[in-house]
Amino acid sequence: MPELSHLNRSVSEQEIWNAIDRDGGVIVDNFMSPDLLARMRDEVMPLVAAHHSGVKGGNEFWEEFHGTETKRITGLADHSKGWIELLCDPIYKAMGDHYLGEDNYYLNTAQLICIGPDETPQMLHRDELNWPEAPREKGEVTVTAIFALTDFTEENGATVIAPGSHKWPGDMPEVKPEQTCRAVMKAGAALLYSGKVIHGGGPNSSKDQWRVGLHAGFVLGWLRAEENHQLTTSLETARAMPEHAQRMLGFRSYVPPAAARLGMVNYEDAGILMDEAAA
Ligand SMILES: O=C(O)CCC(=O)C(=O)O
């Protein structure tokens, strides 16, 4: 049975990248401090309790991808200071810088994925296929972290992942069950993974446990993100954030390596809206 490595966050960044490059993903134990985990849980668990399972809208593919017994909650920046702190975590930022290029990316989505009792396995997928036209053969288009806000177990829906599948040819090769494992991890750990690795939410066979993960990834800055952060984050909240978090949420313009700015305001860097407030 293939496995993912567990590393502690005290290891060097290079050891983390080596594991991701080898297996397509790695679990970093104790990624979040107990204090940050407790604060984030206090901030987001009331949102989880109040939210509905499943997606509205009647699109069959989307209903299945989302999961009928799964709650998904976005727009966290206005609700969780802990999340903004985590967004600025140096190792998390280093993962974006390493795989996508320094300041060459922004936040794709920061989504609580809460898998409830009786949920069936999610369809396996590669995150990068959200952007099928992107130059995937040149490297990473997206990299993601799933932060465990509760323990992830085989019973309650730990992510299913196929180690090594980031190197398999074809858009979506067939995956045999024996080629997969589960990202079992303690609350506070993080699964860090390549946009090329095949994975999906796991089935929840428990009677009463909710598996709560924060699925938060980065995408190249010139691609459209899954989540529309600027519609759910108030200017007031954005202005109070560190500059890196503002950039990640699109409140600062993206400056491509060899071209003009994208995401401007009055043909200026969107950061004028942040900096004017500070002046
Ligand atoms: O929740 C999980 O474990 C994975 C979910 C996922 O990969 C997705 O919805 O894109």
Side-chain angles (χ1 to χ4, degrees):
M1 205 64 163
E3 282 186 355
L4 286 184
S5 298
H6 281 254
L7 299 176
N8 208 287
R9 81 164 273 153
S10 56
V11 301
S12 70
E13 286 169 5
Q14 192 55 53
E15 281 178 78
I16 299 176
W17 317 150
N18 289 347
I20 296 176
D21 294 345
R22 185 185 62 233
D23 299 331
V26 66
I27 293 169
V28 180
D29 293 314
N30 306 305
F31 194 97
M32 302 166 68
S33 69
D35 169 61
L36 177 58
L37 174 64
R39 281 185 285 122
M40 280 190 66
R41 285 178 52 97
D42 284 351
E43 288 167 338
V44 306
M45 287 309 185
L47 305 177
V48 176
H51 206 78
H52 58 271
S53 296
V55 69
K56 301 187 172 118
N59 175 316
E60 239 175 72
F61 170 84
W62 207 231
E63 279 169 13
E64 179 170 350
F65 191 87
H66 182 291
T68 55
E69 308 309 318
T70 295
K71 300 182 181 187
R72 291 180 185 246
I73 302 160
T74 60
L76 297 181
D78 254 23
H79 298 279
S80 172
K81 289 198 167 62
W83 156 235
I84 298 305
E85 197 174 315
L86 183 58
L87 178 56
C88 297
D89 178 280
I91 296 181
Y92 184 36
K93 176 178 185 303
M95 175 174 78
D97 290 352
H98 179 75
Y99 285 103
L100 301 172
E102 195 172 352
D103 289 339
N104 199 34
Y105 58 92
Y106 69 135
L107 185 68
N108 178 37
T109 179
Q111 187 177 128
L112 293 170
I113 302 187
C114 319
I115 300 186
D118 296 330
E119 185 57 282
T120 53
Q122 188 190 33
M123 67 180 71
L124 295 176
H125 58 276
R126 283 176 160 152
D127 287 349
E128 67 175 14
L129 290 177
N130 268 327
W131 302 273
E133 310 287 320
R136 295 176 277 137
E137 65 295 338
K138 286 194 186 160
E140 295 288 356
V141 164
T142 183
V143 283
T144 295
I146 300 183
F147 300 102
L149 300 188
T150 59
D151 290 347
F152 276 35
T153 66
E154 296 252 357
E155 191 189 8
N156 75 8
T159 310
V160 178
I161 185 162
S165 60
H166 59 311
K167 295 184 180 156
W168 297 354
D171 273 357
M172 191 51 218
E174 196 195 327
V175 187
K176 299 193 181 80
E178 61 273 22
Q179 292 174 302
T180 66
C181 65
R182 307 288 294 276
V184 170
M185 54 184 170
K186 289 279 179 208
L191 165 65
L192 308 181
Y193 64 93
S194 153
K196 300 177 185 300
V197 81
I198 299 177
H199 69 284
N204 186 331
S205 57
S206 78
K207 285 204 167 44
D208 53 7
Q209 293 174 42
W210 282 85
R211 189 227 73 172
V212 181
L214 170 55
H215 174 281
F218 302 127
V219 62
L220 287 173
W222 53 274
L223 292 170
R224 176 84 176 170
E226 275 179 56
E227 185 179 342
N228 202 327
H229 313 293
Q230 295 105 61
L231 287 184
T232 55
T233 310
S234 65
L235 272 178
E236 196 190 352
T237 299
R239 283 173 176 151
M241 289 175 189
E243 189 175 324
H244 175 67
Q246 294 171 341
R247 176 162 290 108
M248 290 299 97
L249 287 157
F251 286 90
R252 291 189 179 265
S253 300
Y254 165 65
V255 184
R261 295 171 183 148
L262 303 177
M264 292 187 282
V265 171
N266 276 342
Y267 219 67
E268 301 272 4
D269 190 295
I272 57 163
L273 291 183
M274 305 291 106
D275 299 335
E276 271 170 7

